[in-house]
Structure formats: structure tokens, C-alpha cells
């Protein structure tokens, strides 16, 4: 299995608070992604990174920001969490045209 | 914009049957196509990767084919087992290594 770790695995937070999710890889892959998965919507890309300090928006980026200061870490921040951001968040990495996923973070915004 | 569709959305078959899951995509300019499996509450596990220059890949009882010209891929599962029950997703990989996923097929194998 590829070395990709998400933290935390579960989080409950209150509406309006900032939240940061972390993705850490040990594969030295250039590309890293954040997805959210919701019933009826499947996997949707939030943001992705193609190198240190190089990021771009996906299809559902509103309300989210990302940062990548090191190859191995990709952070996803919910600037002011809302109930619509309750979801399961997956980090992925890709190299040589193949993708690997983390185990996911279940985020509940109350 | 790439769109990936998986049909059927759900499938229930008795143990031992051979089955085919379908994946179609609208933009044939892909690098690779990857099939994943997802168990409830878990992450995605890569099953097979088909490069754009290949027609198929095999791993054990699984065989995936790719026809770029028609925008289709199929995942064939031979001699299905209850442990094969999961959601199967396909994803195309294009420029900037972007993955675009289908909605998945939820497969149930009945003992």
C-alpha cells in the first residue's frame, strides 16, 4: 500500500469554526488531491496540488483553502465550517499515472 | 469537461456468477483508466490500472478492458464471491493527473 496518511480520522466541529485536515505522504509523489464524498454525489475534487506551493481549484472549492509547503504534506482548511461541509474527505496522491487514496476523514459540522 | 458514467448503479447477483461492470467516459483523451474498490466506511483500494496504450489488464479473477475510441471500460469479475461485495468505481486520468470518477456500482454477492 502507498504511504498516505490522513489526520484526524474523525472530527466533530461547530459551525463557524476553522478546521484543518492533514494529508501526509511518504511516496514523494508530485500530485496530491483533496476530494469529498457524499451520498448521491460521488467523489468530487476540492483542490489539488502539482508541486510545493502550486495548487489549483477543483469543482467544489468554495469555502475551502489548501496549502502545500512541503512535498509530503497537503493541508485542507475549512475557513468557517458550515453544515453543508459535513462529509467524508479523502486525500489522494498520484504518480506514474496511478492514484492512491488515504483512509478518509469523517467530518461532522454541528 | 470529462464525464464518467457507471451503469448499473447497483447490482445484486448470486455467488459464483460471472459479471460485468460498465464505465463510460465522454473525452477519449485520457492517460489511464483506473478501477477502485471501496468497502463501506473505508478508503478506495486500487484494483487495476489500464494505460491508454493498453487494451486490458488482469489480476486474479478480475479483468478490465479499455476501448478509448468508444469511451468505454469494463470490469469483469469471474466466479463472484460474497467477499467481492463492495462499491466499484472507475476513474479516468487526464492532464495534470486529474482523476474524474464515476458514481460507482454497488455490488452485492448473495451466498
Amino acid at each position: 500500500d502507498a504511504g498516505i496518511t490522513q489526520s484526524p480520522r474523525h472530527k466533530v466541529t461547530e459551525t463557524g469554526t476553522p478546521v484543518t485536515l492533514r494529508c501526509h505522504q511518504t511516496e514523494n509523489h508530485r500530485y496530491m488531491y483533496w476530494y469529498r464524498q457524499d451520498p448521491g454525489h460521488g467523489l468530487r475534487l476540492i483542490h489539488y496540488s502539482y508541486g510545493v506551493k502550486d495548487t489549483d481549484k477543483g469543482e467544489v472549492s468554495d469555502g475551502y483553502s489548501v496549502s502545500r509547503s512541503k512535498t509530503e504534506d497537503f493541508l485542507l482548511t475549512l475557513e468557517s465550517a458550515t453544515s453543508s461541509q459535513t462529509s467524508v474527505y479523502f486525500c489522494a496522491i498520484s504518480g506514474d499515472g496511478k492514484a492512491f487514496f488515504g483512509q478518509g476523514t469523517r467530518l461532522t459540522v454541528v | 469537461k470529462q464525464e464518467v458514467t457507471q451503469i448499473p448503479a447497483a447490482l445484486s447477483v448470486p455467488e459464483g456468477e460471472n459479471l460485468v461492470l460498465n464505465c463510460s467516459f465522454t473525452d477519449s483523451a485520457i492517460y489511464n483508466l483506473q478501477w477502485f474498490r471501496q468497502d463501506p466506511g473505508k478508503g478506495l483500494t486500487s484494483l487495476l490500472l489500464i494505460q491508454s496504450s493498453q487494451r486490458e489488464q488482469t489480476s486474479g479473477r478480475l479483468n478490465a478492458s479499455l476501448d478509448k475510441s468508444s469511451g468505454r471500460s469494463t470490469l469483469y469479475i469471474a466466479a463472484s464471491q460474497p467477499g467481492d461485495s463492495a462499491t466499484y468505481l472507475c476513474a479516468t486520468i487526464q492532464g495534470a493527473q486529474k482523476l474524474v470518477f464515476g458514481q460507482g456500482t454497488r455490488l452485492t454477492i448473495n451466498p
Side-chain angles (χ1 to χ4, degrees):
Chain A
D1 289 344
I4 177 170
T5 306
Q6 292 184 232
S7 60
R9 294 293 312 281
H10 302 271
K11 186 170 182 67
V12 179
T13 192
E14 293 186 349
T15 298
T17 61
V19 177
T20 296
L21 309 183
R22 180 181 184 238
C23 178
H24 178 79
Q25 63 147 330
T26 58
E27 305 295 322
N28 201 36
H29 283 335
R30 179 181 175 190
Y31 292 92
M32 299 185 75
Y33 313 82
W34 278 107
Y35 289 87
R36 60 179 290 175
Q37 187 176 39
D38 305 287
H41 290 278
L43 280 153
R44 293 181 292 175
L45 181 64
I46 305 171
H47 281 279
Y48 70 99
S49 170
Y50 46 96
V52 173
K53 299 190 189 303
D54 292 322
T55 64
D56 204 352
K57 297 179 180 179
E59 60 183 301
V60 289
S61 60
D62 288 347
Y64 301 95
S65 62
V66 291
S67 66
R68 191 167 178 199
S69 59
K70 298 184 290 185
T71 298
E72 58 265 35
D73 289 326
F74 192 32
L75 304 181
L76 176 70
T77 298
L78 288 65
E79 292 140 8
S80 177
T82 67
S83 59
S84 65
Q85 294 176 312
T86 292
S87 187
V88 179
Y89 291 84
F90 286 101
C91 175
I93 61 176
S94 74
D96 299 324
K98 186 172 182 179
F100 304 91
F101 278 77
Q103 288 300 299
T105 295
R106 185 172 296 277
L107 177 68
T108 303
V109 183
V110 298
Chain B
K1 178 186 172 185
Q2 177 77 286
E3 293 182 2
V4 179
T5 304
Q6 290 187 248
I7 295 173
L11 181 65
S12 180
V13 301
E15 180 178 3
E17 281 202 4
N18 302 324
L19 56 98
V20 174
L21 306 181
N22 296 296
C23 171
S24 61
F25 47 94
T26 55
D27 185 353
S28 62
I30 63 172
Y31 291 156
N32 301 321
L33 187 139
Q34 195 166 355
W35 282 92
F36 295 87
R37 167 185 173 139
Q38 186 176 29
D39 294 293
K42 304 293 185 181
L44 281 72
T45 300
S46 179
L47 296 174
L48 289 164
L49 173 75
I50 312 175
Q51 296 178 350
S52 60
S53 59
Q54 297 175 320
R55 298 280 296 182
E56 64 179 72
Q57 279 288 325
T58 298
S59 176
R61 294 182 294 107
L62 305 180
N63 175 275
S65 67
L66 175 64
D67 184 344
K68 281 181 56 178
S69 61
S70 66
R72 292 184 180 183
S73 177
T74 61
L75 180 66
Y76 175 83
I77 303 178
S80 59
Q81 303 171 358
D84 294 330
S85 296
T87 296
Y88 291 80
L89 299 102
C90 67
T92 59
I93 302 172
Q94 297 185 280
Q97 299 280 302
K98 284 186 185 178
L99 297 102
V100 178
F101 283 87
Q103 296 273 342
T105 295
R106 187 168 62 252
L107 176 65
T108 303
I109 307 298
N110 302 303

